[in-house]
């Protein structure tokens, strides 16, 4: 178990008492609604739904969908945004709307004592402007350990990670011409994460978010807020947690983000 906080014992209690807006029907419901009989419960506390970390996390969940279902893992997620951003997120990532809740003020993040991100108080700037400037500094690795290393991994490849784009798959929706998965063979072969492969998926996510920014991020005050991953057993006991410490830090194992589930 990754024990990163003395707050661990309170996590399930906090979650079980939390109600938020559910994307599927727009109703205020307990975030653990329908989870009482789960053999394993995976709860994802996401940052802004327009955050590239969350789009990437949802991509991994979709990639491993069959294995997650086979293991009977129940999933719930809470992200920062409103119902429109949640619908947009689900339409793009195919994350089920009934699994996603939104917290427009990041209150659950505060209750769980998650990392707020860099929060330098620049004088004369608005809350939104401060958040933007702090975000830019975090993208440069300030107050965001591991971010630059993770960015570079997306370009240079990773032989410890699986191949991300199938040879026959076509990647579109970026400023580049459509790319077939077999294109990346020229950069190193097959069967592992090739150079530029992850960077291409991230470029597609960036294009999606920037093209729909106001929908994904209705309030930019929480741009630096980070999230967390919590896994519980059937008794509600916390058996794994990871609290994000920086941008692109949503997983402990960057090469295989869902490895903690032993998929």
């Amino acid at each position: 178990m990754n024990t990163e906080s003395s707050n661990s014992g309170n996590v399930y209690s906090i979650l079980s008492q939390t109600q938020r807006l559910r994307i599927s029907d727009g109703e205020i419901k307990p975030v653990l609604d329908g989870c009482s009989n789960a053999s394993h419960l995976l709860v994802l506390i996401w940052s802004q739904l327009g955050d590239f970390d969350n789009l990437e996390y949802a991509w991994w969940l979709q990639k491993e969908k069959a294995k997650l279902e086979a293991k009977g893992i129940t999933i719930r997620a809470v992200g920062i945004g409103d119902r429109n951003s949640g619908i947009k997120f689900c339409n793009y990532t195919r994350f089920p709307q009934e699994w996603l809740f939104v917290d427009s003020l990041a209150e659950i993040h505060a209750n769980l004592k998650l990392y707020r991100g860099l929060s330098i108080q620049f004088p004369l700037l608005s809350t939104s402007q401060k958040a933007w400037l702090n975000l830019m500094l975090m993208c440069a690795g300030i107050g965001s350990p591991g971010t630059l290393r993770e960015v570079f991994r997306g370009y240079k490849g990773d032989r410890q990670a699986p191949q991300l784009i199938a040879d026959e798959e076509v990647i579109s929706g970026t400023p580049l011409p459509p790319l077939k998965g077999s294109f990346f063979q020229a950069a190193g072969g097959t069967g592992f994460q090739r150079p530029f492969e992850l960077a291409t998926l991230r470029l597609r996510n960036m294009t999606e978010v920037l093209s729909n920014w106001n929908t994904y991020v209705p309030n930019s005050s929480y741009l630096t807020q980070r999230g967390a991953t919590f896994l519980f057993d059937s008794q509600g006991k916390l058996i794994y947690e990871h609290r994000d410490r920086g941008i692109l830090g949503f997983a402990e194992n960057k090469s295989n983000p869902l490895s903690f589930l032993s998929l």
Side-chain angles (χ1 to χ4, degrees):
M1 173 180 168
N2 183 347
T3 53
E4 300 186 23
S5 171
S6 59
N7 193 46
S8 301
N10 299 323
V11 172
Y12 190 85
S13 176
I14 291 171
L15 293 173
S16 65
Q17 298 175 51
T18 299
Q19 298 187 27
R20 291 295 181 270
L21 186 146
R22 185 166 58 193
I23 299 304
S24 59
D25 53 17
E27 295 186 7
I28 303 298
K29 292 287 187 179
V31 298
L32 299 189
D33 187 42
C35 299
S36 57
N37 296 321
S39 59
H40 285 89
L41 173 62
L42 177 61
V43 179
L44 310 171
I45 306 300
W46 280 338
S47 49
Q48 287 274 6
L49 288 176
D51 194 318
F52 304 149
D53 292 47
N54 306 325
L55 300 178
E56 199 165 313
Y57 208 141
W59 182 90
W60 278 100
L61 293 171
Q62 185 65 29
K63 176 180 172 62
E64 303 292 359
K65 179 180 178 181
K67 293 180 181 179
L68 290 164
E69 290 177 347
K71 291 181 73 71
I73 297 174
T74 298
I75 301 173
R76 294 293 183 271
V78 183
I80 303 172
D82 58 20
R83 193 177 181 213
N84 288 334
S85 53
I87 291 172
K88 189 69 174 173
F89 180 91
C90 291
N91 287 344
Y92 176 68
T93 64
R94 291 185 285 171
F95 188 80
Q97 291 188 9
E98 58 270 23
W99 295 358
L100 180 61
F101 296 75
V102 285
D103 185 330
S104 61
L105 301 178
E107 291 176 329
I108 192 170
H109 302 70
N111 292 340
L112 292 169
K113 296 181 171 57
L114 302 185
Y115 181 43
R116 290 177 54 199
L118 197 64
S119 55
I120 299 173
Q121 296 302 307
F122 299 97
L124 307 180
L125 297 184
S126 68
T127 300
S128 177
Q129 289 170 330
K130 291 175 186 176
W132 267 107
L133 190 48
N134 278 298
L135 178 66
M136 293 302 100
L137 292 172
M138 290 181 70
C139 288
I142 300 172
S144 185
T147 294
L148 292 180
R149 182 169 61 251
E150 178 58 14
V151 170
F152 292 139
R153 189 179 71 89
Y155 289 100
K156 71 179 183 180
D158 182 355
R159 287 189 172 272
Q160 304 305 311
Q163 180 173 324
L164 304 181
I165 304 172
D167 290 342
E168 297 304 313
E169 184 179 354
V170 176
I171 300 298
S172 56
T174 76
L176 303 173
L179 293 175
K180 198 172 182 180
S182 56
F183 166 84
F184 296 96
Q185 291 182 17
T190 60
F192 63 95
Q193 181 191 308
R194 286 79 58 88
F196 297 101
E197 194 175 13
L198 180 55
T200 300
L201 293 177
R202 287 173 173 169
L203 178 61
R204 180 174 64 180
N205 290 341
M206 182 171 66
T207 303
E208 163 69 13
V209 172
L210 294 181
S211 299
N212 301 280
W213 180 258
N214 290 332
T215 302
Y216 276 107
V217 186
N219 184 347
S220 57
S221 299
Y222 305 101
L223 286 175
T224 60
Q225 176 68 59
R226 298 296 90 199
T229 294
F230 300 107
L231 179 66
F232 303 93
D233 66 13
S234 60
Q235 304 303 310
K237 178 183 177 182
L238 182 65
I239 54 179
Y240 176 87
E241 70 171 332
H242 174 75
R243 294 167 179 260
D244 308 354
R245 296 301 303 170
I247 294 171
L248 296 179
F250 66 89
E252 183 178 12
N253 181 350
K254 306 294 192 297
S255 300
N256 194 345
L258 300 183
S259 59
F260 67 94
L261 297 170
S262 300
L263 298 179

